Amino acid sequence: MKINGKNYQTIWLDEDDRGIVRVIDQQKLPFFLEIKDLRTVDDVFYAIRNMTVRGAPLIGAAGAFGIYLATLDPAFRKDNKFIEKAAGLLISARPTAVNLAWAVNFVLERLKKNNSGSTAPEIALKAALDICETEKENCRRIGVHGLALIEKLSREKNGKPVNILTHCNAGWLACIDYGTATAPIYMAYDRGISLHVWVDETRPANQGARLTVFELGSYGVPCTLITDNCGGHLMQQKEVDIVIVGSDRTARNGDSANKIGTYLKALAAWDNGISFYVALPTTSIDPGIADGMKEIPVELRSGNEVTTVSGFAEGRIQQVRICPENTVAMNWSFDVTPARLITGLITEKGICRASEEDITDLFSDKQK
Amino acid sequence: MKINGKNYQTIWLDEDDRGIVRVIDQQKLPFFLEIKDLRTVDDVFYAIRNMTVRGAPLIGAAGAFGIYLATLDPAFRKDNKFIEKAAGLLISARPTAVNLAWAVNFVLERLKKNNSGSTAPEIALKAALDICETEKENCRRIGVHGLALIEKLSREKNGKPVNILTHCNAGWLACIDYGTATAPIYMAYDRGISLHVWVDETRPANQGARLTVFELGSYGVPCTLITDNCGGHLMQQKEVDIVIVGSDRTARNGDSANKIGTYLKALAAWDNGISFYVALPTTSIDPGIADGMKEIPVELRSGNEVTTVSGFAEGRIQQVRICPENTVAMNWSFDVTPARLITGLITEKGICRASEEDITDLFSDKQK
């Protein structure tokens, strides 16, 4: 997507030096647009761990590129366990999103099955690029399917702006391009449908305030920043027509893990009769998890993210402490929204109910 | 209550100069403990408007002292509309809390009924001090009644820590002393009941992170700071035994306006079968409002509170911007929690259901 008129993806291979994977440093956005070079598995691990890259589809792609960089490492030829150790390290960087393990294992499988005569780096790179292309195409298709929902609301409102609420950043910055929750929004905007987005700031890391407002604004989509506390009131006042969020991992039964606070918005939508949709590629569905509420691991990150806030002042990014010194803080990063509160899943294969039956149908369709 | 071993109230008359009302500057807490002098009606207006003082009972008391200061103004003798204009200004400072108008009118009434031979300043001061004493006593009684709930939970948990979640600051800093939501907590803590408080940071002004953590910590009560997004997950995990919040205005039907985001916590408590109590003096009940959802005015404050965060860095209070420049933000300060989600009201007169019937009983009791 475009930033200041120039097209970007969130991750790409350097054109000149094929030993460098380049990413937009999302910790610096929206204050600085900086590109970071990743040259080693460790670089990728820390980029994922420190949220230089974040968002389920993007950390999957980054993990895949991490395996590619591992195949370029001299240790790869000397140590036949090197690639497995690299995979283990990468997968450990963030526990909640299923895409990371999925993408890393996808590249490993391609390497194992190699009977093409290509080198390991060639195979791993091809696999990583394939993941990127697939994710882009999936997001585009999520946009096509989700567009129908927004078009319907627009008709029902006789062309008055459709108000969409989103939490965190499930935008193109979380993916390779288009985004998941934002793909229908961009597509509706491109069609000239009048719409407006309420963006939750999404504490503690403020991905909504920093990234979603930035990317929607850069594209020209009207949006308003609100605190995470505000969405319930807006829904009571009927100022929200539809909620669309992303997913880091959706279980077979439809329970969906997403950024902490998503569950509260799902409750408010339910209480006010507003549709609540989860937009996700089917790679974010984990068929190995039967009951999301019980089985999806929820990442506990450092309390420092809660006791401090990063922002821009006096020409630089600064961190301020918002509470007394030595405050104890806890920082669960995700919550799980039970399927009963989810109106539907918007996937690249179409929209389905958040139920085991519908999800199983999606997967069997996949294998046709 | 004590700060660093010294006893404070939130508002008091200077001992030497009876033309000065002194308050703790709550915008500077917890980073600096500064006392601010209020000498005029305008000083009081801005102190309320800018949240130097905040919290429904405290802004009521401040408004009452504002009328006292008005009676000391030379304009009071020259302009027989002066006191009414002062009252109008003070009441306009914050629209949601009912206590402000109630307290200002209480002092006006005392002035009108004056047949004691006392001077206007003497009467107004006595009225303001009476309000302070009544609020303190009300908070103490709220503590006594709420204590029983915590004791019961402690017994049910065989003495394991009772986990209480609170939103914003309905502590002694919001009142004159003891607090509303915190009064039962302090009382239980004093009795040696094992407990722990989850404190929502409460964006945008972070009263939870700045004030509630500060006052609970200063008293020694174990507490943990969390983001506003986190409470739903904690309730799903049964890490919360009871929610206790304050109220800025409760309608005759039990609907309660409190800091934005309270409604989301009430939904989560309801969804997880956890008790949700609103602690308030009956002065925060507005019998003139039949339907809180429809009739309680909700203050819309400046979007700057959303686009920026204040905190401590490099030895001073600094403000950082958390989003792109020129971001549009909206900032509703309160939401209304419907009575159906409220387990009960903890008042100085006892605990009752959040229903018109029970509230009417409370008020008729008042008139006995």
Side-chain angles (χ1 to χ4, degrees):
Chain A
M1 305 291 276
K2 281 188 165 45
I3 302 174
N4 299 329
K6 190 179 164 191
N7 249 321
Y8 282 91
Q9 289 190 174
T10 50
I11 190 166
W12 66 96
L13 191 69
D14 188 83
E15 279 181 23
D16 302 317
D17 183 343
R18 297 174 76 82
I20 302 178
V21 174
R22 313 196 80 184
V23 294
I24 297 174
D25 184 347
Q26 302 202 17
Q27 286 287 29
K28 302 277 174 66
L29 284 177
F31 314 113
F32 302 100
L33 177 59
E34 284 185 13
I35 309 303
K36 204 160 183 169
D37 293 351
L38 309 177
R39 295 163 190 267
T40 66
V41 173
D42 275 4
D43 285 353
V44 176
F45 170 79
Y46 286 110
I48 297 172
R49 181 95 204 127
N50 301 336
M51 308 210 300
T52 303
V53 292
R54 25 63 57 199
L58 175 54
I59 66 178
F65 275 113
I67 296 295
Y68 161 64
L69 291 176
T71 64
L72 299 178
D73 195 299
F76 174 60
R77 300 195 175 277
K78 291 179 210 153
D79 175 0
N80 63 11
K81 295 275 183 204
F82 180 74
I83 203 84
E84 276 173 36
K85 283 185 271 181
L89 180 74
L90 290 166
I91 290 171
S92 75
R94 301 283 307 270
T96 302
V98 68
N99 308 57
L100 179 55
W102 179 88
V104 165
N105 288 323
F106 178 84
V107 183
L108 289 187
E109 285 300 308
R110 286 271 191 99
L111 284 170
K112 275 184 201 155
K113 281 186 196 153
N114 174 23
N115 49 16
S116 66
S118 304
T119 66
E122 283 168 352
I123 291 159
L125 178 59
K126 174 77 167 49
L129 293 172
D130 283 353
I131 286 174
C132 289
E133 284 311 305
T134 303
E135 291 290 0
K136 278 170 67 172
E137 178 59 13
N138 284 346
C139 286
R140 198 190 62 75
R141 288 188 190 180
I142 288 169
V144 171
H145 296 301
L147 170 63
L149 298 173
I150 298 175
E151 281 178 331
K152 182 164 176 281
L153 286 166
S154 179
R155 281 194 303 273
E156 286 167 9
K157 295 188 79 177
N158 295 316
K160 278 192 210 148
V162 176
N163 288 304
I164 302 157
L165 184 139
T166 192
H167 190 68
C168 197
N169 175 264
W172 74 265
L173 289 168
C175 303
I176 317 302
D177 217 341
Y178 306 112
T180 53
T182 55
I185 296 170
Y186 288 126
M187 214 162 277
Y189 178 78
D190 283 343
R191 300 262 173 121
I193 293 172
S194 178
L195 55 82
H196 164 262
V197 184
W198 297 108
V199 180
D200 283 355
E201 61 177 341
T202 321
R203 279 277 290 152
N206 285 340
Q207 292 94 338
R210 294 193 300 109
L211 305 176
T212 305
V213 169
F214 172 76
E215 66 161 275
L216 291 175
S218 297
Y219 205 80
V221 177
C223 63
T224 302
L225 178 64
I226 51 173
T227 62
D228 300 313
N229 284 323
C230 194
H233 174 69
L234 291 173
M235 292 192 225
Q236 287 177 320
Q237 302 297 318
K238 307 295 172 205
E239 296 284 351
V240 176
D241 298 306
I242 184 172
V243 181
I244 312 179
V245 299
S247 169
D248 290 80
R249 189 186 306 217
T250 291
R252 216 161 66 209
N253 68 348
D255 292 349
S256 293
N258 191 47
K259 184 60 55 195
I260 189 81
T262 301
Y263 164 56
L264 295 170
K265 296 303 143 61
L267 283 169
W270 184 85
D271 197 44
N272 292 285
I274 293 164
S275 299
F276 182 95
Y277 281 93
V278 175
L280 76 171
T282 50
T283 46
S284 294
I285 298 176
D286 187 346
I289 290 201
D291 182 329
M293 294 296 302
K294 287 188 187 150
E295 297 170 50
I296 296 176
V298 169
E299 180 177 5
L300 182 64
R301 293 179 64 85
S302 163
N304 286 342
E305 292 181 354
V306 177
T307 58
T308 62
V309 173
S310 282
F312 189 81
E314 298 168 354
R316 63 196 167 94
I317 296 174
Q318 301 200 44
Q319 209 172 49
V320 295
R321 172 165 51 82
I322 60 162
C323 55
E325 261 190 302
N326 306 318
T327 296
V328 176
M330 290 194 85
N331 183 17
W332 282 273
S333 278
F334 300 90
D335 58 26
V336 179
T337 299
R340 65 185 153 85
L341 301 176
I342 300 170
T343 312
L345 307 176
I346 312 173
T347 78
E348 76 277 11
K349 295 170 177 295
I351 296 173
C352 74
R353 286 182 307 135
S355 72
E356 176 136 13
E357 196 186 345
D358 276 33
I359 290 171
T360 306
D361 285 353
L362 270 189
F363 271 81
S364 58
D365 182 45
K366 206 181 199 175
Q367 273 138 24
K368 271 174 197 165
Chain B
M1 306 289 276
K2 282 189 165 47
I3 301 175
N4 299 329
K6 191 181 164 190
N7 249 322
Y8 282 91
Q9 288 190 177
T10 51
I11 190 166
W12 67 95
L13 190 69
D14 187 83
E15 280 180 24
D16 302 316
D17 184 341
R18 295 173 78 82
I20 302 177
V21 174
R22 313 196 81 184
V23 295
I24 297 175
D25 184 347
Q26 302 202 18
Q27 285 287 28
K28 302 276 173 67
L29 285 178
F31 314 115
F32 302 100
L33 176 60
E34 284 185 13
I35 309 304
K36 206 161 181 168
D37 293 351
L38 309 178
R39 293 162 191 268
T40 65
V41 173
D42 274 4
D43 284 353
V44 176
F45 170 79
Y46 286 111
I48 297 172
R49 181 95 204 128
N50 301 336
M51 308 210 301
T52 303
V53 292
R54 24 67 55 201
L58 175 55
I59 67 179
F65 276 113
I67 296 296
Y68 161 64
L69 291 176
T71 63
L72 300 178
D73 195 300
F76 174 59
R77 301 193 173 279
K78 291 178 209 154
D79 175 0
N80 63 10
K81 294 275 182 209
F82 180 75
I83 203 83
E84 275 174 36
K85 283 186 271 182
L89 179 74
L90 288 166
I91 290 172
S92 75
R94 301 283 307 270
T96 301
V98 69
N99 307 56
L100 180 55
W102 178 88
V104 165
N105 288 323
F106 177 84
V107 184
L108 289 186
E109 284 302 309
R110 285 269 191 101
L111 284 169
K112 276 183 202 154
K113 283 187 198 153
N114 175 23
N115 49 16
S116 66
S118 305
T119 65
E122 282 167 354
I123 291 159
L125 179 59
K126 173 80 167 51
L129 292 173
D130 283 353
I131 286 174
C132 289
E133 284 311 305
T134 304
E135 291 290 0
K136 277 169 67 173
E137 178 59 12
N138 285 347
C139 286
R140 198 189 62 75
R141 288 190 192 179
I142 288 169
V144 171
H145 296 301
L147 170 64
L149 298 172
I150 299 175
E151 281 177 330
K152 182 162 177 283
L153 287 166
S154 179
R155 282 194 301 272
E156 286 167 9
K157 294 187 81 178
N158 295 315
K160 278 192 209 148
V162 176
N163 288 303
I164 301 157
L165 185 140
T166 192
H167 189 68
C168 197
N169 175 263
W172 74 264
L173 289 168
C175 304
I176 317 303
D177 216 339
Y178 306 112
T180 53
T182 55
I185 295 170
Y186 289 126
M187 214 160 277
Y189 178 77
D190 283 342
R191 300 264 173 122
I193 294 172
S194 178
L195 54 80
H196 163 262
V197 184
W198 297 108
V199 181
D200 283 356
E201 62 176 342
T202 320
R203 280 277 290 151
N206 285 341
Q207 291 93 338
R210 293 193 300 108
L211 305 176
T212 305
V213 169
F214 172 75
E215 65 162 270
L216 290 176
S218 297
Y219 205 79
V221 177
C223 62
T224 302
L225 177 65
I226 51 173
T227 63
D228 300 313
N229 284 322
C230 194
H233 174 68
L234 290 174
M235 293 192 225
Q236 288 177 319
Q237 302 298 316
K238 308 294 173 206
E239 296 283 351
V240 177
D241 298 306
I242 185 172
V243 181
I244 312 178
V245 299
S247 169
D248 289 80
R249 190 184 306 217
T250 290
R252 215 161 65 211
N253 69 348
D255 293 350
S256 295
N258 190 47
K259 183 60 54 194
I260 190 81
T262 300
Y263 164 57
L264 295 170
K265 295 303 142 62
L267 283 168
W270 184 85
D271 197 42
N272 292 285
I274 293 165
S275 298
F276 182 94
Y277 281 93
V278 176
L280 76 171
T282 50
T283 47
S284 294
I285 298 177
D286 187 346
I289 291 201
D291 183 328
M293 294 297 302
K294 287 186 186 151
E295 296 171 51
I296 297 177
V298 170
E299 179 177 7
L300 183 63
R301 294 179 63 85
S302 162
N304 286 343
E305 293 183 351
V306 178
T307 58
T308 62
V309 174
S310 282
F312 189 81
E314 298 168 354
R316 62 198 169 94
I317 296 174
Q318 300 200 44
Q319 209 173 50
V320 296
R321 171 165 52 80
I322 60 161
C323 55
E325 260 188 303
N326 305 319
T327 296
V328 176
M330 291 194 85
N331 182 19
W332 283 273
S333 277
F334 299 89
D335 57 25
V336 180
T337 298
R340 65 184 153 86
L341 301 177
I342 299 170
T343 311
L345 307 177
I346 311 173
T347 79
E348 76 277 11
K349 295 171 178 294
I351 296 174
C352 75
R353 285 182 307 134
S355 72
E356 177 136 13
E357 196 186 343
D358 276 32
I359 289 171
T360 307
D361 283 352
L362 269 189
F363 270 81
S364 58
D365 183 46
K366 209 180 195 173
Q367 273 139 24
K368 272 176 198 166

